[in-house]
Amino acid sequence: MHPADRPLDPASVFNAAARLSPHAQVTPVLTARSLDAEAGATLHFKAEHLQRSGAFKFRGACNAVFALAESEAARGVVTHSSGNHGAALALAARLRGIPCHVVVPNGAVEAKVEAIARQGAILHRCAPTIAAREAGCAQVQAGTGATVIHPYTHPDVIAGQGTAALELLTAHPDLDALVVPLGGGGLATGTALAIRALQRDCALYLAEPTGAADGARSLATGRLDHDFVPDTVCDGLRGALGAINFGHLSAFGAQVLTVDDADTLAAQRLLLQRMKQLVEPSSAIALAAVLTHRETFAGRRVGIVLSGGNVDLAGLAGILRG
């Protein structure tokens, strides 16, 4: 069975943790009393913005790359990405010494595209649509024999992403809830698997932009709803929820909390002002979900995954001004 066709199970997260141990950082868990007071809850921040390549994406990409058989790895890997997954896959491929191709949509944040190139990836530009991304990957695969490592539906990617929650829950087994950003659903699904793997009684909340709330609609209606045009500052959360992720998150009973961009940007400033942590809007949305839904989290012990910190520094003055 090809790795991309393997069923997902909680044990896969433990396997991923073992595979990643020589390569990934065990990121710190941060706290801030002033933010606890702001939220009316006890918050534990898993600092994945301090992960290699600046985001949790390295976990999944590295797990997928190092799970490949030698014959497959020699032909390289290919993916489509607007930023963090592409850079993470390129780094993982460089560590294994294999080629990496990344199909990048026009209009992607240039700082993130530069990060992909710095890691040694071969860039292929395409139109800014999912169909164009998929077509670009298929073309590269046909021409090179490279293995497609999808950003959020590949089982090894999902299992790798789950290791962030595995570390957090192992260090803090008394957490009542975990909050993670929701885009394509790789981190969310991996987190659900980690909770099951550790057999914890821990609720899972997914923070999703109001302007890209296909996950909220899909989980509410019980069917995938991809009829939307994303309109959000959270560039990492504009992808549509994957079918495999939808199935697992529905079965787990994960709850989606939608967040307006203004609240996400306010949370991004708070993290910088109170904790001196610079994260992306796609990461800050998890704190914003807790602050805008205080009644849900009041008095609880809450884990928050700060998913990435690859901010375009050209826009830093705007973040500070608010």
mmCIF file of all heavy atoms in Angstrom, residues 197-239:
data_model
loop_
_atom_site.group_PDB
_atom_site.id
_atom_site.type_symbol
_atom_site.label_atom_id
_atom_site.label_comp_id
_atom_site.label_asym_id
_atom_site.label_seq_id
_atom_site.Cartn_x
_atom_site.Cartn_y
_atom_site.Cartn_z
ATOM 1 N N ALA A 197 -4.882 9.271 20.629
ATOM 2 C CA ALA A 197 -3.726 8.414 20.914
ATOM 3 C C ALA A 197 -3.402 8.402 22.400
ATOM 4 O O ALA A 197 -3.015 7.369 22.960
ATOM 5 C CB ALA A 197 -2.512 8.888 20.112
ATOM 6 N N LEU A 198 -3.557 9.548 23.039
ATOM 7 C CA LEU A 198 -3.265 9.663 24.475
ATOM 8 C C LEU A 198 -4.486 9.368 25.341
ATOM 9 O O LEU A 198 -4.397 9.398 26.571
ATOM 10 C CB LEU A 198 -2.737 11.068 24.781
ATOM 11 C CG LEU A 198 -1.352 11.387 24.195
ATOM 12 C CD1 LEU A 198 -1.032 12.865 24.363
ATOM 13 C CD2 LEU A 198 -0.276 10.529 24.857
ATOM 14 N N GLN A 199 -5.626 9.128 24.682
ATOM 15 C CA GLN A 199 -6.882 8.811 25.383
ATOM 16 C C GLN A 199 -7.218 9.895 26.415
ATOM 17 O O GLN A 199 -7.557 9.597 27.562
ATOM 18 C CB GLN A 199 -6.793 7.426 26.038
ATOM 19 C CG GLN A 199 -6.563 6.311 25.030
ATOM 20 C CD GLN A 199 -6.514 4.937 25.671
ATOM 21 O OE1 GLN A 199 -6.208 4.781 26.846
ATOM 22 N NE2 GLN A 199 -6.825 3.902 24.902
ATOM 23 N N ARG A 200 -7.139 11.132 25.961
ATOM 24 C CA ARG A 200 -7.433 12.261 26.841
ATOM 25 C C ARG A 200 -8.866 12.738 26.657
ATOM 26 O O ARG A 200 -9.410 12.724 25.541
ATOM 27 C CB ARG A 200 -6.473 13.433 26.547
ATOM 28 C CG ARG A 200 -5.029 13.127 26.875
ATOM 29 C CD ARG A 200 -4.796 13.165 28.392
ATOM 30 N NE ARG A 200 -3.677 12.326 28.779
ATOM 31 C CZ ARG A 200 -2.399 12.628 28.601
ATOM 32 N NH1 ARG A 200 -2.073 13.761 28.030
ATOM 33 N NH2 ARG A 200 -1.462 11.807 28.996
ATOM 34 N N ASP A 201 -9.449 13.202 27.731
ATOM 35 C CA ASP A 201 -10.779 13.810 27.689
ATOM 36 C C ASP A 201 -10.575 15.308 27.465
ATOM 37 O O ASP A 201 -10.590 16.105 28.406
ATOM 38 C CB ASP A 201 -11.526 13.548 29.003
ATOM 39 C CG ASP A 201 -12.933 14.117 28.984
ATOM 40 O OD1 ASP A 201 -13.428 14.433 27.881
ATOM 41 O OD2 ASP A 201 -13.532 14.272 30.066
ATOM 42 N N CYS A 202 -10.349 15.655 26.223
ATOM 43 C CA CYS A 202 -9.949 17.017 25.877
ATOM 44 C C CYS A 202 -10.752 17.460 24.656
ATOM 45 O O CYS A 202 -10.742 16.784 23.620
ATOM 46 C CB CYS A 202 -8.450 17.054 25.575
ATOM 47 S SG CYS A 202 -7.781 18.680 25.240
ATOM 48 N N ALA A 203 -11.458 18.575 24.772
ATOM 49 C CA ALA A 203 -12.264 19.083 23.668
ATOM 50 C C ALA A 203 -11.362 19.755 22.625
ATOM 51 O O ALA A 203 -10.315 20.312 22.960
ATOM 52 C CB ALA A 203 -13.290 20.090 24.178
ATOM 53 N N LEU A 204 -11.776 19.702 21.371
ATOM 54 C CA LEU A 204 -11.017 20.302 20.283
ATOM 55 C C LEU A 204 -11.844 21.395 19.619
ATOM 56 O O LEU A 204 -12.963 21.156 19.154
ATOM 57 C CB LEU A 204 -10.630 19.237 19.254
ATOM 58 C CG LEU A 204 -9.902 19.727 17.997
ATOM 59 C CD1 LEU A 204 -8.608 20.449 18.350
ATOM 60 C CD2 LEU A 204 -9.623 18.563 17.050
ATOM 61 N N TYR A 205 -11.264 22.601 19.584
ATOM 62 C CA TYR A 205 -11.902 23.755 18.950
ATOM 63 C C TYR A 205 -11.036 24.224 17.783
ATOM 64 O O TYR A 205 -9.804 24.276 17.892
ATOM 65 C CB TYR A 205 -12.087 24.893 19.948
ATOM 66 C CG TYR A 205 -13.027 24.542 21.075
ATOM 67 C CD1 TYR A 205 -12.549 23.962 22.247
ATOM 68 C CD2 TYR A 205 -14.393 24.778 20.963
ATOM 69 C CE1 TYR A 205 -13.412 23.619 23.281
ATOM 70 C CE2 TYR A 205 -15.262 24.437 21.994
ATOM 71 C CZ TYR A 205 -14.768 23.863 23.144
ATOM 72 O OH TYR A 205 -15.625 23.518 24.172
ATOM 73 N N LEU A 206 -11.700 24.583 16.696
ATOM 74 C CA LEU A 206 -11.014 24.978 15.470
ATOM 75 C C LEU A 206 -11.322 26.440 15.166
ATOM 76 O O LEU A 206 -12.483 26.815 15.022
ATOM 77 C CB LEU A 206 -11.479 24.085 14.316
ATOM 78 C CG LEU A 206 -11.523 22.583 14.615
ATOM 79 C CD1 LEU A 206 -12.083 21.818 13.437
ATOM 80 C CD2 LEU A 206 -10.135 22.071 14.986
ATOM 81 N N ALA A 207 -10.282 27.254 15.095
ATOM 82 C CA ALA A 207 -10.441 28.683 14.832
ATOM 83 C C ALA A 207 -10.367 28.939 13.332
ATOM 84 O O ALA A 207 -9.357 28.638 12.693
ATOM 85 C CB ALA A 207 -9.350 29.468 15.565
ATOM 86 N N GLU A 208 -11.436 29.491 12.773
ATOM 87 C CA GLU A 208 -11.529 29.668 11.326
ATOM 88 C C GLU A 208 -11.958 31.097 10.996
ATOM 89 O O GLU A 208 -12.830 31.659 11.656
ATOM 90 C CB GLU A 208 -12.547 28.677 10.747
ATOM 91 C CG GLU A 208 -12.604 28.675 9.230
ATOM 92 C CD GLU A 208 -13.501 27.577 8.691
ATOM 93 O OE1 GLU A 208 -14.646 27.443 9.173
ATOM 94 O OE2 GLU A 208 -13.069 26.849 7.784
ATOM 95 N N PRO A 209 -11.345 31.716 9.970
ATOM 96 C CA PRO A 209 -11.744 33.077 9.600
ATOM 97 C C PRO A 209 -13.189 33.142 9.111
ATOM 98 O O PRO A 209 -13.640 32.256 8.371
ATOM 99 C CB PRO A 209 -10.777 33.438 8.459
ATOM 100 C CG PRO A 209 -9.677 32.439 8.514
ATOM 101 C CD PRO A 209 -10.266 31.197 9.111
ATOM 102 N N THR A 210 -13.889 34.180 9.508
ATOM 103 C CA THR A 210 -15.262 34.374 9.034
ATOM 104 C C THR A 210 -15.302 34.450 7.513
ATOM 105 O O THR A 210 -16.260 33.991 6.884
ATOM 106 C CB THR A 210 -15.845 35.668 9.632
ATOM 107 O OG1 THR A 210 -15.792 35.576 11.063
ATOM 108 C CG2 THR A 210 -17.282 35.890 9.207
ATOM 109 N N GLY A 211 -14.245 35.000 6.915
ATOM 110 C CA GLY A 211 -14.196 35.142 5.466
ATOM 111 C C GLY A 211 -13.747 33.898 4.715
ATOM 112 O O GLY A 211 -13.569 33.945 3.494
ATOM 113 N N ALA A 212 -13.560 32.796 5.415
ATOM 114 C CA ALA A 212 -13.198 31.524 4.770
ATOM 115 C C ALA A 212 -13.744 30.383 5.621
ATOM 116 O O ALA A 212 -13.029 29.458 5.989
ATOM 117 C CB ALA A 212 -11.686 31.399 4.613
ATOM 118 N N ALA A 213 -15.034 30.469 5.917
ATOM 119 C CA ALA A 213 -15.640 29.576 6.919
ATOM 120 C C ALA A 213 -16.289 28.344 6.306
ATOM 121 O O ALA A 213 -17.365 27.920 6.726
ATOM 122 C CB ALA A 213 -16.656 30.358 7.747
ATOM 123 N N ASP A 214 -15.625 27.730 5.333
ATOM 124 C CA ASP A 214 -16.186 26.518 4.738
ATOM 125 C C ASP A 214 -16.206 25.362 5.732
ATOM 126 O O ASP A 214 -17.099 24.515 5.704
ATOM 127 C CB ASP A 214 -15.405 26.116 3.488
ATOM 128 C CG ASP A 214 -13.948 25.776 3.788
ATOM 129 O OD1 ASP A 214 -13.255 26.637 4.359
ATOM 130 O OD2 ASP A 214 -13.497 24.663 3.453
ATOM 131 N N GLY A 215 -15.226 25.340 6.657
ATOM 132 C CA GLY A 215 -15.200 24.292 7.670
ATOM 133 C C GLY A 215 -16.393 24.376 8.601
ATOM 134 O O GLY A 215 -17.008 23.356 8.937
ATOM 135 N N ALA A 216 -16.726 25.589 9.020
ATOM 136 C CA ALA A 216 -17.877 25.782 9.904
ATOM 137 C C ALA A 216 -19.160 25.324 9.216
ATOM 138 O O ALA A 216 -19.993 24.624 9.813
ATOM 139 C CB ALA A 216 -17.981 27.251 10.315
ATOM 140 N N ARG A 217 -19.333 25.696 7.950
ATOM 141 C CA ARG A 217 -20.536 25.294 7.223
ATOM 142 C C ARG A 217 -20.566 23.790 6.996
ATOM 143 O O ARG A 217 -21.606 23.148 7.151
ATOM 144 C CB ARG A 217 -20.607 26.030 5.879
ATOM 145 C CG ARG A 217 -20.869 27.530 6.007
ATOM 146 C CD ARG A 217 -21.196 28.142 4.650
ATOM 147 N NE ARG A 217 -20.099 27.965 3.699
ATOM 148 C CZ ARG A 217 -19.064 28.786 3.590
ATOM 149 N NH1 ARG A 217 -18.976 29.843 4.385
ATOM 150 N NH2 ARG A 217 -18.117 28.564 2.698
ATOM 151 N N SER A 218 -19.417 23.229 6.644
ATOM 152 C CA SER A 218 -19.371 21.796 6.350
ATOM 153 C C SER A 218 -19.702 20.957 7.577
ATOM 154 O O SER A 218 -20.498 20.017 7.510
ATOM 155 C CB SER A 218 -17.978 21.423 5.823
ATOM 156 O OG SER A 218 -17.708 22.076 4.606
ATOM 157 N N LEU A 219 -19.098 21.295 8.723
ATOM 158 C CA LEU A 219 -19.343 20.510 9.929
ATOM 159 C C LEU A 219 -20.750 20.732 10.471
ATOM 160 O O LEU A 219 -21.316 19.857 11.117
ATOM 161 C CB LEU A 219 -18.284 20.836 10.980
ATOM 162 C CG LEU A 219 -16.879 20.326 10.643
ATOM 163 C CD1 LEU A 219 -15.854 20.852 11.642
ATOM 164 C CD2 LEU A 219 -16.829 18.807 10.610
ATOM 165 N N ALA A 220 -21.316 21.915 10.201
ATOM 166 C CA ALA A 220 -22.676 22.192 10.663
ATOM 167 C C ALA A 220 -23.719 21.435 9.850
ATOM 168 O O ALA A 220 -24.734 20.975 10.382
ATOM 169 C CB ALA A 220 -22.958 23.689 10.603
ATOM 170 N N THR A 221 -23.470 21.293 8.536
ATOM 171 C CA THR A 221 -24.462 20.660 7.656
ATOM 172 C C THR A 221 -24.207 19.180 7.429
ATOM 173 O O THR A 221 -25.084 18.459 6.943
ATOM 174 C CB THR A 221 -24.477 21.360 6.285
ATOM 175 O OG1 THR A 221 -23.188 21.212 5.660
ATOM 176 C CG2 THR A 221 -24.793 22.845 6.440
ATOM 177 N N GLY A 222 -22.979 18.727 7.742
ATOM 178 C CA GLY A 222 -22.654 17.316 7.524
ATOM 179 C C GLY A 222 -22.222 16.995 6.114
ATOM 180 O O GLY A 222 -22.115 15.821 5.732
ATOM 181 N N ARG A 223 -21.950 18.009 5.295
ATOM 182 C CA ARG A 223 -21.438 17.766 3.940
ATOM 183 C C ARG A 223 -20.442 18.862 3.580
ATOM 184 O O ARG A 223 -20.579 20.010 3.999
ATOM 185 C CB ARG A 223 -22.572 17.722 2.911
ATOM 186 C CG ARG A 223 -23.361 19.007 2.782
ATOM 187 C CD ARG A 223 -24.453 18.891 1.725
ATOM 188 N NE ARG A 223 -25.181 20.160 1.575
ATOM 189 C CZ ARG A 223 -24.743 21.180 0.838
ATOM 190 N NH1 ARG A 223 -23.604 21.079 0.179
ATOM 191 N NH2 ARG A 223 -25.456 22.295 0.755
ATOM 192 N N LEU A 224 -19.442 18.480 2.800
ATOM 193 C CA LEU A 224 -18.405 19.432 2.415
ATOM 194 C C LEU A 224 -18.995 20.565 1.582
ATOM 195 O O LEU A 224 -19.758 20.335 0.651
ATOM 196 C CB LEU A 224 -17.307 18.731 1.608
ATOM 197 C CG LEU A 224 -16.168 18.090 2.401
ATOM 198 C CD1 LEU A 224 -15.233 17.362 1.452
ATOM 199 C CD2 LEU A 224 -15.402 19.128 3.202
ATOM 200 N N ASP A 225 -18.628 21.785 1.929
ATOM 201 C CA ASP A 225 -19.119 22.967 1.224
ATOM 202 C C ASP A 225 -17.913 23.782 0.781
ATOM 203 O O ASP A 225 -17.299 24.492 1.578
ATOM 204 C CB ASP A 225 -20.010 23.792 2.169
ATOM 205 C CG ASP A 225 -20.565 25.044 1.503
ATOM 206 O OD1 ASP A 225 -20.195 25.324 0.350
ATOM 207 O OD2 ASP A 225 -21.370 25.738 2.153
ATOM 208 N N HIS A 226 -17.560 23.670 -0.489
ATOM 209 C CA HIS A 226 -16.415 24.398 -1.030
ATOM 210 C C HIS A 226 -16.839 25.583 -1.896
ATOM 211 O O HIS A 226 -16.027 26.125 -2.647
ATOM 212 C CB HIS A 226 -15.529 23.455 -1.852
ATOM 213 C CG HIS A 226 -14.781 22.481 -1.010
ATOM 214 N ND1 HIS A 226 -14.140 21.377 -1.543
ATOM 215 C CD2 HIS A 226 -14.553 22.435 0.330
ATOM 216 C CE1 HIS A 226 -13.566 20.694 -0.562
ATOM 217 N NE2 HIS A 226 -13.804 21.314 0.568
ATOM 218 N N ASP A 227 -18.099 25.972 -1.772
ATOM 219 C CA ASP A 227 -18.625 27.074 -2.589
ATOM 220 C C ASP A 227 -18.334 28.405 -1.897
ATOM 221 O O ASP A 227 -19.206 29.015 -1.288
ATOM 222 C CB ASP A 227 -20.129 26.891 -2.808
ATOM 223 C CG ASP A 227 -20.694 27.943 -3.753
ATOM 224 O OD1 ASP A 227 -19.898 28.557 -4.490
ATOM 225 O OD2 ASP A 227 -21.927 28.164 -3.732
ATOM 226 N N PHE A 228 -17.068 28.843 -1.978
ATOM 227 C CA PHE A 228 -16.704 30.103 -1.343
ATOM 228 C C PHE A 228 -15.466 30.680 -1.998
ATOM 229 O O PHE A 228 -14.659 29.960 -2.595
ATOM 230 C CB PHE A 228 -16.446 29.906 0.164
ATOM 231 C CG PHE A 228 -15.114 29.255 0.485
ATOM 232 C CD1 PHE A 228 -14.076 29.995 1.020
ATOM 233 C CD2 PHE A 228 -14.908 27.899 0.246
ATOM 234 C CE1 PHE A 228 -12.852 29.399 1.317
ATOM 235 C CE2 PHE A 228 -13.689 27.296 0.545
ATOM 236 C CZ PHE A 228 -12.657 28.049 1.076
ATOM 237 N N VAL A 229 -15.335 31.985 -1.902
ATOM 238 C CA VAL A 229 -14.120 32.684 -2.319
ATOM 239 C C VAL A 229 -13.516 33.279 -1.058
ATOM 240 O O VAL A 229 -14.128 34.136 -0.417
ATOM 241 C CB VAL A 229 -14.430 33.797 -3.336
ATOM 242 C CG1 VAL A 229 -13.147 34.556 -3.689
ATOM 243 C CG2 VAL A 229 -15.072 33.216 -4.589
ATOM 244 N N PRO A 230 -12.344 32.813 -0.633
ATOM 245 C CA PRO A 230 -11.792 33.264 0.646
ATOM 246 C C PRO A 230 -11.489 34.757 0.652
ATOM 247 O O PRO A 230 -10.992 35.309 -0.320
ATOM 248 C CB PRO A 230 -10.513 32.437 0.794
ATOM 249 C CG PRO A 230 -10.164 31.997 -0.586
ATOM 250 C CD PRO A 230 -11.464 31.851 -1.318
ATOM 251 N N ASP A 231 -11.825 35.396 1.760
ATOM 252 C CA ASP A 231 -11.571 36.821 1.941
ATOM 253 C C ASP A 231 -11.109 37.020 3.385
ATOM 254 O O ASP A 231 -11.901 37.254 4.287
ATOM 255 C CB ASP A 231 -12.841 37.626 1.657
ATOM 256 C CG ASP A 231 -12.629 39.126 1.840
ATOM 257 O OD1 ASP A 231 -11.462 39.563 1.871
ATOM 258 O OD2 ASP A 231 -13.640 39.864 1.953
ATOM 259 N N THR A 232 -9.804 36.876 3.601
ATOM 260 C CA THR A 232 -9.257 36.956 4.946
ATOM 261 C C THR A 232 -7.774 37.309 4.892
ATOM 262 O O THR A 232 -7.075 36.971 3.925
ATOM 263 C CB THR A 232 -9.431 35.615 5.699
ATOM 264 O OG1 THR A 232 -8.779 35.693 6.970
ATOM 265 C CG2 THR A 232 -8.862 34.445 4.914
ATOM 266 N N VAL A 233 -7.304 37.961 5.958
ATOM 267 C CA VAL A 233 -5.869 38.260 6.075
ATOM 268 C C VAL A 233 -5.074 37.009 6.426
ATOM 269 O O VAL A 233 -3.844 37.010 6.325
ATOM 270 C CB VAL A 233 -5.598 39.339 7.145
ATOM 271 C CG1 VAL A 233 -6.240 40.658 6.754
ATOM 272 C CG2 VAL A 233 -6.066 38.886 8.520
ATOM 273 N N CYS A 234 -5.752 35.955 6.833
ATOM 274 C CA CYS A 234 -5.084 34.704 7.225
ATOM 275 C C CYS A 234 -4.753 33.909 5.963
ATOM 276 O O CYS A 234 -5.494 32.990 5.571
ATOM 277 C CB CYS A 234 -5.982 33.892 8.155
ATOM 278 S SG CYS A 234 -6.440 34.756 9.675
ATOM 279 N N ASP A 235 -3.632 34.243 5.322
ATOM 280 C CA ASP A 235 -3.321 33.638 4.028
ATOM 281 C C ASP A 235 -3.118 32.132 4.128
ATOM 282 O O ASP A 235 -3.348 31.404 3.169
ATOM 283 C CB ASP A 235 -2.096 34.312 3.402
ATOM 284 C CG ASP A 235 -0.830 34.118 4.209
ATOM 285 O OD1 ASP A 235 -0.675 34.800 5.236
ATOM 286 O OD2 ASP A 235 0.008 33.276 3.822
ATOM 287 N N GLY A 236 -2.694 31.646 5.288
ATOM 288 C CA GLY A 236 -2.482 30.221 5.458
ATOM 289 C C GLY A 236 -3.761 29.430 5.675
ATOM 290 O O GLY A 236 -3.720 28.195 5.736
ATOM 291 N N LEU A 237 -4.908 30.117 5.790
ATOM 292 C CA LEU A 237 -6.169 29.440 6.095
ATOM 293 C C LEU A 237 -7.189 29.602 4.973
ATOM 294 O O LEU A 237 -8.388 29.441 5.185
ATOM 295 C CB LEU A 237 -6.755 29.971 7.413
ATOM 296 C CG LEU A 237 -5.827 29.912 8.631
ATOM 297 C CD1 LEU A 237 -6.552 30.432 9.872
ATOM 298 C CD2 LEU A 237 -5.316 28.491 8.867
ATOM 299 N N ARG A 238 -6.714 29.904 3.788
ATOM 300 C CA ARG A 238 -7.625 30.128 2.668
ATOM 301 C C ARG A 238 -7.964 28.845 1.908
ATOM 302 O O ARG A 238 -8.845 28.852 1.057
ATOM 303 C CB ARG A 238 -7.017 31.152 1.702
ATOM 304 C CG ARG A 238 -6.918 32.546 2.300
ATOM 305 C CD ARG A 238 -6.136 33.487 1.408
ATOM 306 N NE ARG A 238 -5.952 34.793 2.055
ATOM 307 C CZ ARG A 238 -5.031 35.681 1.700
ATOM 308 N NH1 ARG A 238 -4.212 35.410 0.693
ATOM 309 N NH2 ARG A 238 -4.926 36.835 2.336
ATOM 310 N N GLY A 239 -7.279 27.764 2.205
ATOM 311 C CA GLY A 239 -7.545 26.498 1.518
ATOM 312 C C GLY A 239 -8.846 25.863 1.965
ATOM 313 O O GLY A 239 -9.336 26.109 3.075
#
